[in-house]
């Protein structure tokens, strides 16, 4: 059920973070710290998420448009 899924997710997240800590030693890239970071201002976090989501959506729409144009010209 839901408890099992949450437990598996938590375990997978823990394993991923520990592996990232091990792999990022000596590289100067603090990946694990970024994963553990929690935003203090949830409003700003949600706003950043919306901006990133909208940008991704625009990129995907533009790519789809270019592919459609390419297919039309190829025929």
């Amino acid at each position: 059920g839901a408890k099992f899924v949450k437990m598996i997710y938590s375990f997978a997240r823990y394993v991923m973070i520990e592996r990232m800590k091990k792999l990022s030693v000596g590289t100067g890239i603090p990946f694990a710290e970024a994963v553990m970071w929690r935003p203090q201002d949830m409003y700003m976090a949600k706003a950043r998420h919306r901006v990133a989501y909208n940008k991704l959506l625009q990129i995907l729409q533009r790519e789809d448009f270019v592919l459609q144009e390419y297919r039309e010209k190829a025929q």
Side-chain angles (χ1 to χ4, degrees):
K3 288 182 180 180
F4 179 74
V5 170
K6 185 173 180 169
M7 182 195 65
I8 294 298
Y9 171 78
S10 297
F11 177 70
R13 186 173 188 269
Y14 171 78
V15 169
M16 179 192 69
I17 290 170
E18 291 301 314
R19 183 152 174 87
M20 287 172 59
K21 282 181 185 177
K22 190 182 290 184
L23 292 175
S24 66
V25 170
T27 61
I29 305 171
F31 287 121
E33 288 78 12
V35 171
M36 296 302 293
W37 180 74
R38 297 278 189 233
Q40 294 176 351
D41 185 5
M42 286 304 293
Y43 175 78
M44 286 300 294
K46 288 179 181 178
R48 286 186 187 121
H49 175 265
R50 282 192 306 270
V51 168
Y53 178 81
N54 288 336
K55 186 69 174 173
L56 176 63
L57 186 60
Q58 288 173 356
I59 291 168
L60 292 174
Q61 287 173 337
R62 189 177 317 129
E63 180 181 352
D64 184 53
F65 176 76
V66 169
L67 288 174
Q68 286 178 0
E69 290 291 317
Y70 179 74
R71 285 185 193 123
E72 287 176 7
K73 290 180 181 178
Q75 290 178 353

